[in-house]
Amino acid sequence: MSNTINTKDSNPMIDTTSRPIQMVDLKSQYQDIKAEIDAEIQSVIDSCYFIKGPKVTQFENNLAQYLEVKNVIGCGNGTDALQIAVMALGIQPGDEIIVPCFTYAATAEIIALLNLKPIMVDVTLDTFEISLEGLDKIITERTKAIIPVHLFGQCSNMEDVMAFAEKHNLFVIEDNAQAIGSSYNGKSIQAKSGTIGHIGCTSFFPSKNLGCYGDGGAIFTNDDALAERIRQVGNHGEKIKYHHDIIGCNSRLDAIQAAVLDVKLKYLDSYNNARRKAAYRYNDSFESLDHIITPIEADYSDHVYHQYTLRITDGSRDELADHLRNNNIPFGIYYPIPLYKQKAYSQYVNENYFLPNTELLCKEVISLPMHSHLDEKTQQVITHHVIDFFNGRS
Ligand SMILES: *Cc1c(COP(=O)(O)O)cnc(C)c1O
């Protein structure tokens, strides 16, 4: 594919690259590491060891070393990772789990699927993480766990979450699908995101910061007994082949995906650094605009920018979205509807349920293209159209 750049024309309004701008550019990333990836995939095919096996174990060990966690257990996808985590903790039908409701539905879905009750709570306006404010009052005897979601690439305030959980005797399951590689840097806890709670979960969906070439997920824990239980749950409840002691499910990481991931793990930090640099370039471009709040980095976490998410505070988010669409600039609205207003989840709240921060964010947020191969020139085209929109309005 030719990627010719017309050097004569420096007008950023004209996209001079041959390929349309991508929200996530997996193709450029693959081109960079094609030789390694292709060889690794071929070696799995040659081995004919497709499900679990040595490649999966190798990747699990390498990821455990990277995360400095005792156990990593691969599974089929990030949603399964959350489900297996809840099942392994022995949480019973009718029990309650606290989740933020400004998040992807998977987090609440597995709770509902297991006949548990999701308690959907608000998030902070600055870092989009679960807000613990007032939660003391909603704890009941049946509340068994809390799932902080490290949204858009930044770790939640885990010291506060852990203290809250300890006080109320709750399990903590970190949904780390969007923040792999970020570190929590608190006063008493310094660790990679996903390794602080009882269990951490992640997704290797292709567009995630560490993505494979299909579906994949993993579960982390420092508790060896829990790790054994997690392996058992994810493999039909068996520890010994054809001996089923508990009800489990079938969710495994396959060897081709593990091979891809093992190559990409080596580049994860550099990919995350590239995302961070791109985010700061965006921030610089938007500095002079009044109605935009650029991402706020917490002092207790580094940000790996799974998403670069702006808040548009003058009510013009949808108009900006139209403007970008008309100019072929991809964008995402994560997330447009509070979880408790989704048809499937409205049954868990009464009709007056209202979480002000979540409601506001659903109206204000817009995410711009973000990936490991976002170059300055492409960003100039994107930011030009955003700035153009606001200048056209004033
Ligand atoms: C992607 C994602 C999931 C689900 O992962 P899948 O691999 O798609 O099942 C769960 N939670 C969050 C926050 C996610 O972003």
Side-chain angles (χ1 to χ4, degrees):
M1 186 185 310
S2 76
N3 235 18
T4 38
I5 306 230
N6 180 351
T7 47
K8 271 187 296 188
D9 193 345
S10 63
N11 181 349
M13 270 183 82
I14 297 165
D15 181 10
T16 49
T17 56
S18 57
R19 219 147 54 89
I21 295 177
Q22 312 284 308
M23 189 69 187
V24 178
D25 185 358
L26 295 175
K27 217 170 223 174
S28 298
Q29 192 187 65
Y30 171 58
Q31 287 306 325
D32 267 7
I33 53 173
K34 182 176 178 348
E36 269 181 288
I37 293 271
D38 291 1
E40 281 296 317
I41 290 178
Q42 189 60 52
S43 84
V44 172
I45 297 171
D46 290 342
S47 80
C48 285
Y49 218 134
F50 294 118
I51 306 259
K52 297 194 160 186
K55 249 307 157 219
V56 173
T57 305
Q58 179 189 320
F59 169 64
E60 286 175 343
N61 291 340
N62 286 337
L63 184 58
Q65 197 172 9
Y66 171 83
L67 293 171
E68 296 176 46
V69 69
K70 278 170 83 180
N71 304 280
V72 169
I73 302 109
C75 65
N77 57 66
T79 310
D80 281 359
L82 291 162
Q83 179 175 336
I84 292 167
V86 172
M87 288 171 76
L89 290 169
I91 298 171
Q92 295 299 313
D95 285 345
E96 301 168 351
I97 299 186
I98 300 172
V99 286
C101 71
F102 184 64
T103 181
Y104 186 54
T107 324
E109 185 176 41
I110 59 98
I111 298 172
L113 202 62
L114 294 170
N115 286 317
L116 308 168
K117 187 177 177 205
I119 306 294
M120 296 175 278
V121 304
D122 215 351
V123 296
T124 60
L125 274 181
D126 50 359
T127 54
F128 316 129
E129 71 191 68
I130 193 163
S131 166
L132 302 174
E133 210 182 298
L135 292 198
D136 279 317
K137 289 191 286 269
I138 64 164
I139 297 278
T140 74
E141 295 230 301
R142 304 221 65 166
T143 315
K144 297 293 159 61
I146 182 168
I147 308 186
V149 180
H150 304 325
L151 206 69
F152 302 154
Q154 183 161 232
C155 190
S156 307
N157 189 339
M158 288 304 292
E159 278 168 333
D160 287 0
V161 170
M162 296 310 287
F164 176 81
E166 203 162 310
K167 183 172 161 198
H168 297 288
N169 206 16
L170 306 176
F171 290 115
V172 177
I173 302 168
E174 293 175 71
D175 183 341
N176 198 33
Q178 299 189 4
I180 195 156
S182 72
S183 298
Y184 179 78
N185 309 300
K187 287 189 194 75
S188 59
I189 304 172
Q190 292 93 33
K192 289 275 190 213
S193 61
T195 68
I196 301 161
H198 299 91
I199 301 182
C201 296
T202 203
S203 161
F204 302 125
F205 187 80
S207 65
K208 301 281 158 99
N209 290 36
L210 179 60
C212 57
Y213 291 172
D215 271 314
I219 305 159
F220 326 133
T221 184
N222 280 310
D223 180 330
D224 293 340
L226 199 47
E228 198 179 327
R229 185 87 174 172
I230 288 165
R231 283 196 189 280
Q232 190 181 5
V233 170
N235 192 28
H236 303 290
E238 56 178 49
K239 265 190 221 170
I240 302 164
K241 214 158 177 49
Y242 306 121
H243 290 69
H244 306 273
D245 296 335
I246 55 171
I247 305 283
C249 59
N250 172 25
S251 183
R252 303 176 288 220
L253 184 62
D254 68 59
I256 287 181
Q257 300 310 337
V260 169
L261 289 163
D262 208 40
V263 171
K264 287 179 69 172
L265 178 60
K266 292 187 291 186
Y267 301 104
L268 179 59
D269 284 343
S270 73
Y271 289 161
N272 283 342
N273 282 332
R275 287 170 177 269
R276 207 173 286 126
K277 278 195 186 134
Y280 296 159
R281 288 197 295 264
Y282 273 139
N283 287 352
D284 288 345
S285 312
F286 299 141
E287 212 168 36
S288 64
L289 297 179
D290 287 337
H291 305 298
I292 281 189
I293 300 178
T294 54
I296 293 167
E297 294 194 359
D299 54 10
Y300 45 75
S301 174
D302 36 73
H303 206 314
V304 294
Y305 291 96
H306 174 60
Q307 297 295 347
Y308 180 84
T309 302
L310 298 169
R311 289 174 57 198
I312 308 300
T313 57
D314 67 349
S316 67
R317 193 269 315 269
D318 291 342
E319 282 169 69
L320 171 62
D322 287 341
H323 181 80
L324 295 178
R325 194 180 291 112
N326 292 337
N327 288 284
N328 299 316
I329 305 294
F331 62 88
I333 308 285
Y334 313 114
Y335 297 93
I337 305 170
L339 221 46
Y340 58 85
K341 283 193 170 162
Q342 299 277 2
K343 237 187 206 166
Y345 300 99
S346 59
Q347 60 180 302
Y348 296 104
V349 296
N350 68 42
E351 63 205 35
N352 300 320
Y353 201 69
F354 185 88
L355 300 176
N357 292 353
T358 296
E359 293 276 346
L360 186 65
L361 291 174
C362 288
K363 294 190 178 79
E364 287 186 347
V365 291
I366 187 164
S367 302
L368 298 181
M370 175 52 73
H371 52 83
S372 57
H373 286 63
L374 188 56
D375 59 75
E376 274 185 74
K377 207 165 174 82
T378 306
Q379 279 189 288
Q380 278 168 15
V381 178
I382 297 163
T383 55
H384 167 82
H385 286 293
V386 174
I387 293 165
D388 194 42
F389 169 77
F390 283 102
N391 287 345
R393 285 166 57 84
S394 58

